[in-house]
Structure formats: structure tokens, C-alpha cells
Amino acid sequence: MMQEEIFGPVLPIVTVSDMDEAIRFVNEREKPLALYIFCSDKTAVKKMINETTSGGVTVNDVMMHYTLSSLPFGGVGQSGMGSYHGKHTFDRLSHMRACLVRSLGMESFNQARYPPQDRQRARRVRMALRSPMIDFSKRTFVWAVSATVIAFGLFITLLVILLIASGLNCTC
């Protein structure tokens, strides 16, 4: 018994002296399709889950894992590969095709990546690569902070006007 997977009304129960023996028992064999843990100690359950490998884990129950279509059911290693059940079966057996559809409206900006390359096109590419994309100067920073403060002030002013116009009294 327990030399191969059991699909039937037989549920072997293995008694062990402690948690470490249970973990050793599981890890010394092929990875099981399902691991059933009956325990009220959450730390022990976490330890068992973290230190073993199996297709699935069910704690304090036997059949609920298989009956919930929101949970994948499947093995790892000799007990099977993949996860099946409900939508997981569809995802496993379907090919997710990647599609990129671009507009050609701004394609003139991409001419530098197409051959033939001439001197003028190469010069434009070199110039674009040399010029910084972001200006980190102090003047730019001061301008950005000032614009943010002004925008925030306008936003608060607009909120106050809307509150007054709607008849609500704002006592700030």
C-alpha cells in the first residue's frame, strides 16, 4: 500500500511521533498529489506547508479542495504536471496569444530604425542619443515646484467656491 497513487475509497492514515517525522515521511517519497493535514496549530501547519512539496494542500478537510472549482487541482513530479479544474483547466489547455497592434499615424518618427541608413539619418540619431531626455537643472526644479504649488492652490480655491455655491458652510 502507498507504493503508487490511490484513487479510490481507501485513505491511509500514517501516525508519526512529531512534526519533523511527518515532514521527513513526506519528503522521503515521491511528491504526493495532495497533502492532507489535520492540526489546530497554525504554526505547525505553516511549517508543514513550507517544508514539503505536493500538488495541493488541504488542512482539516479531505474533499473540499477538489470540490472548489476556484482552486486548481493537479500534481507535481510523478503525481502529474500542471493545475486543472474549472477555469484552470481552460487556462492550462489554451494558448494565450500575444498581440501588439500599433497605429502607423506617427511612423515618420520611427524612420531612423529602418534601412537604408544615410548620413543625415545617422546624424539625427546620434544627436538624439547625446541630448539629455530629462533636464535636472535647478531652474527646472524650481519651475516644477512653483507650478505644483500654484496648481494645488487653484484646486483648493475651486473646492471652496464649489462648497459655497452648493450652500454648504465650510468652517475651516
Side-chain angles (χ1 to χ4, degrees):
M1 173 115 57
M2 293 181 52
Q3 299 304 314
E4 295 181 17
E5 287 185 332
I6 302 168
F7 290 102
V10 178
L11 178 65
I13 298 174
V14 178
T15 57
V16 291
S17 59
D18 62 4
M19 179 64 67
D20 292 327
E21 184 182 351
I23 292 170
R24 267 192 316 278
F25 181 85
V26 172
N27 290 337
E28 288 173 353
R29 290 160 178 74
E30 290 296 328
K31 296 173 175 68
L33 177 61
L35 177 64
Y36 301 102
I37 306 168
F38 293 89
C39 183
S40 58
D41 182 1
K42 291 180 181 180
T43 306
V45 169
K46 282 184 181 181
K47 180 176 179 168
M48 180 66 89
I49 292 171
N50 290 335
E51 295 183 18
T52 61
T53 303
S54 61
V57 177
T58 301
V59 179
N60 298 325
D61 205 294
V62 180
M63 290 302 296
M64 286 307 294
H65 182 185
Y66 183 72
T67 61
L68 293 172
S69 63
S70 60
L71 289 176
F73 190 83
V76 59
Q78 291 217 355
S79 65
M81 296 304 267
S83 54
Y84 306 93
H85 205 213
K87 182 179 180 325
H88 302 285
T89 303
F90 178 81
D91 291 342
R92 176 65 55 193
L93 300 175
S94 299
H95 171 70
M96 185 74 77
R97 184 172 64 163
C99 296
L100 172 65
V101 179
R102 294 183 53 237
S103 168
L104 293 175
M106 302 287 282
E107 192 58 26
S108 61
F109 289 109
N110 293 322
Q111 290 300 316
R113 62 181 175 175
Y114 302 123
Q117 295 291 333
D118 57 8
R119 287 182 189 263
Q120 184 180 6
R121 196 181 283 178
R123 188 174 50 93
R124 276 193 230 138
V125 169
R126 277 195 304 276
M127 207 165 62
L129 291 175
R130 282 188 203 134
S131 65
M133 296 293 214
I134 301 172
D135 184 10
F136 289 108
S137 68
K138 185 176 181 181
R139 186 174 60 222
T140 304
F141 177 74
V142 170
W143 179 86
V145 170
S146 301
T148 303
V149 168
I150 291 169
F152 187 70
L154 290 172
F155 175 72
I156 296 297
T157 304
L158 179 64
L159 278 177
V160 169
I161 291 171
L162 288 173
L163 285 173
I164 291 171
S166 66
L168 298 175
N169 292 332
C170 178
T171 56
C172 301

